[in-house]
Amino acid sequence: MNKLVIDNSIEDNDIFVINDTEMTVDLSNTERYISIHVVNGTCLKGFIKTNNTKNKIKYIIDDNCEVTINKLAIDSSDEIEIVLNDKNSIVKYTTSIINYKDNIYKQIINHKSDDTTSKIRNHCINIFDNEFKFVIDGIIEKDAERVDLKQDNKIINLRNGKSNILPNLIVDNNDINASHSAYIGTFDEDTKFYMMSRGLTSNECDDLLIKSFLLNGMELQEKERDIFSSIIETINK
Amino acid sequence: MLSIKKLFVKVKDKNILNDFNLDIKEGEIHAIMGPNGTGKSTLSKVILGNKNYEVVSGDIIFKKESILGLKTDEIARKGIFVAFQNPISIEGVQNSEFLKTAINERRENAIGLFEFVKEIKEKVKELDFSEEMIHRAVNVGASGGERKKNEVLQLSLLEPEFIILDELDSGLDIDSLKKVCEAINKYLESHKKTSVLIITHYPRILEYIKPQFVHMMVCGKIVKTGDYNLAFEIEKSGYSDTSVMGSEKENE
């Protein structure tokens, strides 16, 4: 597999993925527009870590591609656009956000072609009393048949944060499968009671629940999981 | 070891426990039987300090100290363990991580990985559990029987001094119930001072874990106390039979 690194020192914003590639993105304090074109028959695996970014990232995905992205962001107001341009491609985009300020995270998934699949999972822990908003658009165009689109958006407010989720499904074809779920709230009290009944303090319960909430659903290698875990472990301290 | 004195508890203006009294000494096994909705499961949650229940008056003394007002985790660390009727599943939290955190809360020095793995593997084998469950999320996708076995696995690793088995037999087939009870009996053999309170509808579990005292609970209080045979008397006659109800002889 090819290796691709995008970080603050590399200014190339037009990227073509022509072979199976493992992409590592590490960006902080940036406002960049990055275009990633995944050409036909290619597999792209992305491990993304961002901090205080307002990037616009556009993925253009050709036919028979498999794109798997696992992203952990701190204070992100990124805008992600994913265009499934051609047939038989799959995108699994799993985003976890740790939010300390006011932020809006936008994502557009545009299915332009037949037999395309998108599995979008967005989770956010809103730490303080700030505003956080997910704006997630799923578009299925008229000519795109047998599309499978799934969105799962959740925000956990640790304190009194003001959170909002705007999931929009714009569907112009009847032969498709589309679903979305949205949840804003706190960790379940019954779950915490059960954990505390085993002697875990309230803080320890939160630590375990935060970690599982942010990491669950991600397809990570051990090293990647350790990197994400070490960032997550700084929350709630 | 555990003494509940004149306990009145309500939830949302509804009285659940009414003048409830119970005294369990070190090493004793007690059983509470009662019809649905009589407050049996409420009792275990109140002992654990669940904030959804309001203790109006009375006291719960554990090892000569009141535990009313303590947080759930503080009560648990004092040595009280409830094996729940419906154990919760926790998405994304691995059994191993959960158990290790719980064990470490009770120790001055954190348990080593080798010691932890060795100990957990032994217990898992005893319960006829798949070793793979250690790495699964707590109770996620687990059957009713697996959840109960997991409760007993936690119990044997956390080594409580007072155990409440809240309808342990519900959701367990005969073979699984036998296996789970064998594991508990084995634990009790090596922890002679541990006391047990079994909450149940049916006497079947009592054939495997034999109590010295059986209490009949109706409308939030104990209305009759007897020995092991009372359980079978209740099963034969039901909870509404006046001869079983008898006089309100409470456990003192």
Side-chain angles (χ1 to χ4, degrees):
Chain A
M1 262 205 183
N2 282 359
K3 305 272 183 196
L4 169 69
V5 176
I6 302 172
D7 63 20
N8 285 26
S9 67
I10 297 167
E11 288 183 7
D12 187 2
N13 290 326
D14 285 312
I15 291 150
F16 282 82
V17 178
I18 53 171
N19 293 308
D20 290 352
T21 299
E22 281 181 2
M23 173 177 76
T24 303
V25 179
D26 187 355
L27 294 169
S28 52
N29 307 309
T30 51
E31 286 188 41
R32 282 169 63 173
Y33 178 86
I34 300 171
S35 168
I36 299 169
H37 192 148
V38 185
V39 304
N40 52 328
T42 309
C43 174
L44 173 68
K45 282 188 159 190
F47 171 71
I48 302 179
K49 188 160 70 79
T50 66
N51 189 351
N52 193 33
T53 53
K54 287 182 179 170
N55 298 315
K56 289 184 180 178
I57 300 179
K58 184 171 183 176
Y59 295 84
I60 300 157
I61 301 167
D62 290 348
D63 66 289
N64 294 295
C65 293
E66 191 175 331
V67 176
T68 307
I69 305 290
N70 296 296
K71 173 177 177 178
L72 181 67
I74 301 169
D75 278 321
S76 175
S77 277
D78 291 345
E79 286 182 41
I80 310 298
E81 187 181 355
I82 301 159
V83 182
L84 284 147
N85 238 355
D86 221 327
K87 292 180 180 178
N88 298 317
S89 282
I90 298 173
V91 61
K92 285 186 258 178
Y93 209 109
T94 308
T95 306
S96 291
I97 296 174
I98 302 162
N99 192 63
Y100 293 96
K101 300 174 190 165
D102 293 344
N103 282 296
I104 300 174
Y105 185 85
K106 292 181 182 171
Q107 207 172 32
I108 300 169
I109 303 96
N110 192 350
H111 289 259
K112 281 179 171 288
S113 191
D114 300 340
D115 302 299
T116 48
T117 300
S118 64
K119 291 179 182 170
I120 306 299
R121 195 285 257 150
N122 295 308
H123 284 181
C124 172
I125 293 277
N126 195 10
I127 309 285
F128 298 125
D129 299 347
N130 299 87
E131 282 188 47
F132 181 82
K133 192 190 278 185
F134 273 132
V135 181
I136 313 295
D137 295 345
I139 301 166
I140 301 175
E141 296 194 357
K142 195 173 183 178
D143 295 334
E145 293 193 332
R146 298 173 301 281
V147 163
D148 193 1
L149 178 156
K150 285 191 179 71
Q151 280 183 25
D152 164 30
N153 304 301
K154 285 182 186 154
I155 303 173
I156 297 288
N157 290 314
L158 275 195
R159 293 184 178 83
N160 299 310
K162 298 171 195 75
S163 297
N164 203 351
I165 297 173
L166 299 177
N168 301 305
L169 291 181
I170 302 155
V171 178
D172 199 11
N173 191 303
N174 290 324
D175 186 15
I176 59 99
N177 182 11
S179 65
H180 72 84
S181 63
Y183 172 85
I184 301 171
T186 55
F187 287 126
D188 178 52
E189 280 305 313
D190 288 342
T191 303
K192 274 189 81 170
F193 174 70
Y194 181 74
M195 295 172 85
M196 288 173 77
S197 79
R198 300 321 187 219
L200 277 71
T201 63
S202 179
N203 262 349
E204 278 168 340
C205 296
D206 283 344
D207 287 350
L208 281 180
L209 291 171
I210 288 169
K211 196 172 163 188
S212 71
F213 178 71
L214 295 177
L215 290 183
N216 201 23
M218 289 197 171
E219 293 171 21
L220 297 169
Q221 293 168 18
E222 202 179 330
K223 193 179 162 191
E224 295 171 342
R225 183 169 288 271
D226 289 346
I227 292 169
F228 279 0
S229 294
S230 65
I231 296 169
I232 292 165
E233 278 159 16
T234 62
I235 306 175
N236 212 25
K237 296 286 181 287
Chain B
M1 178 172 278
L2 183 87
S3 186
I4 302 174
K5 292 177 177 172
K6 296 181 178 174
L7 195 67
F8 286 81
V9 172
K10 67 177 184 181
V11 59
K12 293 176 189 164
D13 292 331
K14 190 182 172 195
N15 295 325
I16 308 285
L17 298 181
N18 297 299
D19 194 16
F20 186 93
N21 292 279
L22 184 65
D23 193 16
I24 299 177
K25 295 189 175 63
E26 212 173 73
E28 285 183 353
I29 300 176
H30 289 235
I32 290 182
M33 297 179 73
N36 290 325
T38 198
K40 300 188 303 298
S41 292
T42 296
L43 177 66
S44 59
K45 288 176 186 161
V46 170
I47 291 171
L48 274 181
N50 190 309
K51 297 280 174 279
N52 292 328
Y53 300 92
E54 185 192 342
V55 176
V56 181
S57 63
D59 207 352
I60 304 172
I61 313 286
F62 181 62
K63 293 195 285 185
K64 296 179 182 168
E65 278 178 46
S66 174
I67 55 169
L68 277 187
L70 294 184
K71 290 177 189 163
T72 300
D73 57 307
E74 292 169 331
I75 296 167
R77 289 197 299 273
K78 281 188 177 292
I80 296 179
F81 182 97
V82 177
F84 288 102
Q85 184 181 355
N86 298 309
I88 297 270
S89 59
I90 313 172
E91 194 80 45
V93 176
Q94 275 188 4
N95 273 307
S96 56
E97 199 172 14
F98 179 50
L99 283 167
K100 209 171 164 204
T101 311
I103 289 170
N104 284 338
E105 264 309 316
R106 289 162 165 77
R107 296 164 66 113
E108 272 186 31
N109 300 315
I111 188 167
L113 186 64
F114 179 75
E115 190 189 344
F116 175 70
V117 171
K118 190 175 166 244
E119 203 169 323
I120 204 167
K121 277 189 173 178
E122 275 171 20
K123 309 284 183 196
V124 161
K125 203 175 168 187
E126 267 174 34
L127 284 161
D128 228 356
F129 238 152
S130 145
E131 268 187 32
E132 171 252 356
M133 67 75 59
I134 303 167
H135 306 291
R136 288 207 316 239
V138 179
N139 293 328
V140 174
S143 67
E146 284 174 322
R147 286 174 189 234
K148 293 294 170 76
K149 282 185 182 180
N150 201 11
E151 294 292 276
V152 177
L153 173 70
Q154 292 173 15
L155 179 161
S156 57
L157 287 165
L158 297 176
E159 298 191 83
E161 292 169 69
F162 187 84
I163 300 165
I164 300 174
L165 304 172
D166 188 2
E167 299 198 22
L168 185 75
D169 45 351
S170 71
L172 279 181
D173 60 49
I174 293 280
D175 292 337
S176 299
L177 177 64
K178 205 174 164 189
K179 199 96 196 162
V180 158
C181 290
E182 275 170 10
I184 294 170
N185 282 328
K186 194 176 171 191
Y187 177 85
L188 294 175
E189 270 171 34
S190 56
H191 298 76
K192 298 275 187 208
K193 291 181 178 176
T194 300
S195 309
V196 182
L197 176 61
I198 302 167
I199 294 170
T200 185
H201 285 292
Y202 308 105
R204 196 175 64 181
I205 185 176
L206 308 182
E207 292 173 25
Y208 299 110
I209 304 173
K210 206 171 171 181
Q212 293 100 357
F213 302 95
V214 175
H215 311 279
M216 187 164 87
M217 184 174 172
V218 178
C219 297
K221 67 190 293 187
I222 287 172
V223 295
K224 187 169 184 177
T225 291
D227 62 13
Y228 175 65
N229 294 315
L230 177 61
F232 297 93
E233 213 178 305
I234 292 169
E235 191 186 42
K236 200 175 156 193
S237 314
Y239 294 110
S240 53
D241 190 296
T242 47
S243 64
V244 175
M245 291 272 283
S247 59
E248 291 191 0
K249 183 186 171 190
E250 287 167 18
N251 173 46
E252 306 212 76

